[in-house]
Amino acid sequence: MATPRESSGDAPLIRFLRSRGVKDSRVLDAMGRISRARFLPTNEQDQAHEDKAIGIGCDQTISQPFIVAVMSIELALTGTERVLEVGTGSGYQTAILAQLANDVFTVERHRMLSLRSRGILDGLGFTNISFRIGDGTLGWPEAAPFDRAIITAAAPIVPISIFKQLREGGHMVLPLGDAETQHLTVVRKREGKMVTQTGIACRFVPLIGEQGWNEPKA
Ligand code: SAH
């Protein structure tokens, strides 16, 4: 677990999340210590407190804060876990995970986004995050097994490589569905088998890779 350095925090966002019924105090504290604006492009920073996805370049978005809260709660982190994150994006969700888990391994397919988020997260003083540029649908075999995994892009199927890299008794959280709408889904590994639980509807940018969607044609 890590505590960010010199962050101004995010009180308005926490008030909003509470008003939406978010009660988990560890997740609220972790989100309250980080300023979401820091992860946005300069011209979008005034929108940091709106509960919507915002463009961060490369056609990608920073997730809605309410969804970040729900996914973080579903991961049920206690501070000891090794977590795989697919879709580093802005690095905002990564910053929340790094405060709630022991180690975070985050994969992003866009080099520019990975490098940018790394700069921000290093600047906040996090030392328990490892970054990789590549196809996260294949997981991170050298760092497995993981206690938890989170995919922050819309998956058409449960990526089997990631499931295999989960420890027995572990679970992953992902938006599962078609390109337009998905449902936040928890997939547990029980005696080697998948046990799936479907949650709220959501909308993410597509997960693109070997066990995701095909690369869009230019
Ligand atoms: N959690 C991020 C969400 C970013 S959007 C945030 O709040 O900022 C989803 C990200 O997943 C995008 O940056 C996209 O480039 C990335 N992505 C899509 N498919 C991927 C894959 N196969 N491997 C790694 N990253 C992927």
Side-chain angles (χ1 to χ4, degrees):
M1 277 194 291
T3 308
R5 199 198 291 149
E6 60 152 44
S7 175
S8 59
D10 216 329
L13 193 67
I14 299 313
R15 279 197 293 280
F16 162 76
L17 292 172
R18 283 189 199 281
S19 77
R20 287 286 309 266
V22 176
K23 292 197 179 71
D24 187 304
S25 58
R26 293 190 68 234
V27 168
L28 287 170
D29 287 350
M31 291 181 75
R33 278 192 289 263
I34 293 287
S35 162
R36 185 171 180 249
R38 221 181 238 280
F39 294 84
L40 293 173
T42 327
N43 59 337
E44 307 276 14
Q45 289 185 352
D46 56 336
Q47 300 186 55
H49 299 123
E50 292 179 27
D51 190 38
K52 59 174 197 183
I54 298 171
I56 52 172
C58 299
D59 265 346
Q60 305 304 324
T61 54
I62 180 172
S63 306
Q64 252 178 281
F66 179 69
I67 296 291
V68 172
V70 173
M71 292 184 96
S72 304
I73 292 168
E74 294 285 9
L75 284 175
L77 297 166
T78 64
T80 58
E81 295 82 5
R82 226 173 144 75
V83 181
L84 172 70
E85 179 189 36
V86 177
T88 318
S90 67
Y92 179 65
Q93 171 82 70
T94 321
I96 311 306
L97 299 174
Q99 295 175 72
L100 297 170
N102 199 50
D103 290 296
V104 180
F105 296 84
T106 186
V107 190
E108 169 57 54
R109 61 189 287 272
H110 283 293
R111 181 181 176 80
M112 193 280 272
L113 292 177
S114 180
L115 297 178
R116 180 181 173 275
S117 67
R118 185 178 195 146
I120 299 170
L121 292 162
D122 284 352
L124 285 169
F126 286 107
T127 53
N128 61 343
I129 305 171
S130 306
F131 297 83
R132 176 179 261 196
I133 299 165
D135 179 7
T137 67
L138 303 175
W140 190 326
E142 303 83 356
F146 301 101
D147 302 291
R148 303 284 188 271
I150 172 172
I151 305 180
T152 66
I157 53 159
V158 177
I160 194 66
S161 305
I162 298 180
F163 182 75
K164 284 188 181 152
Q165 290 168 30
L166 273 182
R167 207 186 284 282
E168 171 60 29
H171 68 269
M172 67 166 119
V173 179
L174 73 162
L176 193 61
D178 58 32
E180 272 72 49
T181 20
Q182 308 92 39
H183 286 88
L184 277 191
T185 305
V186 179
V187 178
R188 294 177 202 281
K189 192 173 202 169
R190 295 282 178 266
E191 291 167 14
K193 299 208 168 53
M194 274 189 206
V195 179
T196 301
Q197 187 190 326
T198 304
I200 59 171
C202 54
R203 187 174 182 160
F204 278 81
V205 296
L207 178 73
I208 293 168
E210 216 168 284
Q211 290 167 32
W213 298 98
N214 291 332
E215 185 105 33
K217 303 224 166 33

